[in-house]
Amino acid sequence: MNWNTLAQEVIDGKLLSNEEALQILHTDDDDLLPLLHAAFTIRKHYYGKKVKLNMILNAKSGYCPENCGYCSQSSISSAPIEKYPFITKEEILEGAKKAYENQIGTFCIVASGRGPTRKDVNVVSEAVKEIKEQYGLKVCACLGLLKDEQAEQLKGAGVDRYNHNLNTSARHHDYITTSHTYADRVNTVEIAKKHGLSPCSGAIVGMRETKQDVVDIAYALHALDADSIPVNFLNAIDGTKLEGTKDLDTRYCLKVLALFRFINPTKEIRIAGGREVNLGSLQPFGLYVANSIFVGDYLTTEGQEENADYLMLKDLGFEIEFDQKAPQCN
C-alpha cells in the first residue's frame, strides 16, 4: 500500500474502503513510519502543527448504576476509588481558573451516572455562564444520557460541546455493558447535535474487541459527524470486569490513531485516556497523527505530569491553540 497516495486521496474526499481500513491496523511494524508520515500529511493539511489541549474536571465520582465493564465507577466495580456527589458551582469555577492558567482550550465537566438530574444541569448551567464571562473558555459537558430539554438548557447557558462516547462497535457493545444500549448512546449524540451542541464522541480500544470492531467504530463516528473524537486506550483497572486485559502494544495504538485520522480526516482526533500507559515513550509519535490531548488527570486515574506534556509539545515544535480572553478582575 502506498500510504502517501492514499492520504492524498483522503484529502481529496475519498472514504477508505473496509479493506483499506483493515490494512492500516494490519500494517507491518517495519512500515509504521511511512504510515505515520502519511497520516501526518492529512493532519497537517487541516490543522498544521497546532495542538488543542483539554482538561477534565471530575464533577461527580462513583455512585453510577450502569454496569460498564471498563469503568471503575460502575455498579459492578470493586475498585477502591474516591466517591463524592456533584460538586458545587464554586468548585467548577476553580477548575476553570486552573484550565485558563494552563492554556487549556476546552474545559471538560464530567460526571458519573446514567444521566444528569435537574439539579446537576442547573449547577453546570450556572457555572458555565460565569466561566464564559470570566475566562471565555470552550466548555464541554459529559453528563451521561441526555434529554432534549437538558440539551437546550446547556446550550442556552453557553456549553459549546457535549461528549458521549460510543466506546465500541454496535456488535461488541453488549459485551461491555447491558444497562443501556448502543442506540441510547447514538441517540444522546444526536440530541446534542439537534440543539446546537458540538458533538464529541469517541472510542475505547483494547476491550477485547476485534480489529473489525475498531474499524466499525471509526466508520460509525464518521457517520455521526462527530466534531471531536477522543481515542482512549484501555488502562485496565483492578476490580473492573476487564481487569487484567492487556491486548495493546504501543505500535498498534499508533496504527489505531492513524486509522481514525484516515477515516475522519477533518476532525479533532484526541489522544485520550490511557495514552501514558499504552503509548509510553512513543507518545510524541501520536501527535503527528492526532491534534489534541488531555492534560492532567483523568476521572479516576492519573495522567502524565503536566510539565512533561508542555515540554513534549515544545520539543516537537508544535503550537498550543489557545485564544481565550483574559479573566476579569473581581
Side-chain angles (χ1 to χ4, degrees), residues 148-166:
D148 281 283
E149 60 272 18
Q150 294 171 329
E152 185 176 3
Q153 181 177 340
L154 292 170
K155 176 64 178 178
V159 173
D160 301 281
R161 175 169 286 172
Y162 197 84
N163 166 260
H164 198 66
N165 293 333
L166 296 187

Side-chain angles (χ1 to χ4, degrees), residues 69-175:
Y70 56 84
C71 185
S72 59
Q73 303 183 77
S74 79
S75 61
I76 61 171
S77 169
S78 61
I81 63 166
E82 183 181 8
K83 298 181 180 181
Y84 50 84
F86 213 97
I87 64 177
T88 64
K89 180 187 75 172
E90 289 71 26
E91 289 172 302
I92 295 175
L93 291 171
E94 278 297 312
K97 182 175 184 291
K98 179 182 178 182
Y100 179 86
E101 291 170 346
N102 285 278
Q103 294 184 287
I104 301 300
T106 303
F107 178 56
C108 308
I109 304 170
V110 184
S112 65
R114 181 176 177 84
T117 66
R118 179 180 296 180
K119 181 181 178 181
D120 297 341
V121 174
N122 287 341
V123 171
V124 171
S125 298
E126 291 169 9
V128 170
K129 290 175 184 176
E130 294 193 29
I131 290 170
K132 290 294 183 178
E133 290 174 0
Q134 295 185 40
Y135 306 112
L137 288 170
K138 177 181 284 187
V139 177
C140 177
C142 177
L143 310 174
L145 299 177
L146 200 60
K147 300 175 182 176
D148 281 283
E149 60 272 18
Q150 294 171 329
E152 185 176 3
Q153 181 177 340
L154 292 170
K155 176 64 178 178
V159 173
D160 301 281
R161 175 169 286 172
Y162 197 84
N163 166 260
H164 198 66
N165 293 333
L166 296 187
N167 286 333
T168 193
S169 70
R171 184 197 68 82
H172 193 57
H173 181 270
D174 285 353
Y175 175 77

Side-chain angles (χ1 to χ4, degrees), residues 212-263:
Q212 184 63 60
D213 288 318
V214 178
V215 169
D216 287 349
I217 183 107
Y219 280 128
L221 292 166
H222 179 275
L224 263 183
D225 199 25
D227 293 330
S228 179
I229 301 175
V231 181
N232 300 273
F233 298 103
L234 182 69
N235 180 7
I237 299 172
D238 290 348
T240 64
K241 176 182 176 179
L242 293 175
E243 173 183 345
T245 303
K246 295 181 180 179
D247 288 352
L248 302 174
D249 65 54
T250 54
R251 298 171 302 285
Y252 177 70
C253 291
L254 291 172
K255 295 168 193 176
V256 168
L257 290 172
L259 171 74
F260 278 83
R261 175 57 71 200
F262 269 86
I263 292 181

Side-chain angles (χ1 to χ4, degrees), residues 262-282:
F262 269 86
I263 292 181
N264 298 279
T266 67
K267 304 303 186 180
E268 176 186 341
I269 305 296
R270 184 183 320 140
I271 315 177
R275 73 173 162 96
E276 298 85 355
V277 173
N278 289 287
L279 287 177
S281 62
L282 298 189

